[in-house]
Amino acid sequence: MLAAHYQTAAINRIIEFMQQQSQLFDRETLRNLFLQQNSDGWNFLSAAHNQPGNLQLFLNFILDNFDKFNTKTIKEIIFQKNKRGYTCLHLAVRYQPDSIKNILDFIDQYIDSFTHEFEQLLLAKNKHEKNLLLLSLNYQSDAAIHFL
């Protein structure tokens, strides 16, 4: 998982291997792999939030292997929270505007499937739910444009 955060070459090789050996990865294996969390609760997308290229590799893998993912699993991967209550969207909004664009472009392809969850993150009102738009305005104002 550290490779997702730091090593683009390592991620390229891992994704390449997964593509070449796709028969080894059934739906449940991929679900478990992508939902695996480190000690801080970060999954692969959360770990890759600060490296837009790595994040895009993971999103492309999901798209290229869409038959091995279902909508429920994709939602779980995108909206899985870490120990502080942040999803990969929250982390990207706070730290890497380019990554938020990648995630939103991915979501845009399946917007009907994501409407409810996405709306909750944009309209969150209590302090335990993190409002994406407010986070973007507070931390990376240039990321806010992606929500318009």
Side-chain angles (χ1 to χ4, degrees), residues 5-66:
H5 194 66
Y6 298 109
Q7 300 292 326
T8 300
I11 292 303
N12 281 327
R13 184 62 192 120
I14 290 167
I15 295 294
E16 181 181 307
F17 172 82
M18 290 173 67
Q19 293 283 26
Q20 291 172 352
Q21 304 298 325
S22 63
Q23 73 279 4
L24 300 175
F25 301 99
D26 63 11
R27 186 175 280 202
E28 190 61 24
T29 302
L30 286 174
R31 181 184 179 281
N32 292 336
L33 182 65
F34 275 80
L35 288 172
Q36 177 180 285
Q37 293 177 291
N38 69 10
S39 60
D40 293 321
W42 291 18
N43 67 17
F44 277 101
L45 294 185
S46 296
H49 79 275
N50 216 22
Q51 298 290 331
N54 290 350
L55 181 71
Q56 191 62 54
L57 287 173
F58 287 124
L59 295 172
N60 288 344
F61 180 84
I62 293 170
L63 287 174
D64 293 345
N65 295 279
F66 197 75

Side-chain angles (χ1 to χ4, degrees), residues 61-86:
F61 180 84
I62 293 170
L63 287 174
D64 293 345
N65 295 279
F66 197 75
D67 59 317
K68 293 189 177 186
F69 292 90
N70 58 38
T71 303
K72 181 179 182 260
T73 298
I74 293 172
K75 284 182 184 183
E76 288 177 305
I77 294 167
I78 299 276
F79 298 111
Q80 187 177 41
K81 294 179 180 178
N82 67 14
K83 288 184 177 182
R84 297 189 62 168
Y86 291 112

